[in-house]
Amino acid sequence: EIYSLTVFKNGQEIHMYAFADTGNKLKEPFSDYPVIVADSSRISFDAERVIPFNSVGGEGTLKAFRPDKVIISSGKKSVETDKVYIAASSVDSKDFSAILNPEIINI
């Protein structure tokens, strides 16, 4: 499912669409907060954390920051949280610019 995602950081708002991927179990290791992977061309904040990942394509690290808050919405359902990290990567889709850890939607 595709969701509307708004990221708030330092008085700025970034709007994009996000795909809820059941395969995305990525979490920031110290806080255990879920991670949203966003296309690096859409976000421009300084990284606060380096998050290790393992995927089918290999392993590595992603630079991430903690937003002031995010709002995720789809139809009548809306979730607002600050217990999340945004990691920059390449998201190759015409339909969305971010990939959600579905745990965020179930908060």
Side-chain angles (χ1 to χ4, degrees), residues 8-94:
F8 297 84
K9 180 75 174 175
N10 299 332
Q12 295 181 24
E13 292 180 31
I14 299 172
H15 303 279
M16 62 185 94
Y17 290 101
F19 173 68
D21 182 0
T22 56
N24 178 1
K25 308 275 189 236
L26 192 59
K27 292 194 175 187
E28 193 279 327
F30 297 106
S31 65
D32 203 39
Y33 290 165
V35 175
I36 298 170
V37 178
D39 194 281
S40 54
S41 69
R42 298 298 309 268
I43 55 175
S44 61
F45 298 106
D46 292 332
E48 301 166 352
R49 295 276 194 276
V50 176
I51 300 175
F53 73 90
N54 289 307
S55 71
V56 175
E59 60 184 51
T61 58
L62 297 172
K63 294 180 180 180
F65 67 93
R66 186 166 174 204
D68 297 329
K69 71 177 175 180
V70 298
I71 298 174
I72 303 163
S73 57
S74 174
K76 296 180 181 179
K77 182 179 180 181
S78 183
V79 174
E80 181 177 323
T81 185
D82 64 349
K83 294 175 173 46
V84 66
Y85 276 84
I86 309 289
S89 186
S90 176
V91 176
D92 188 24
S93 174
K94 294 178 184 176

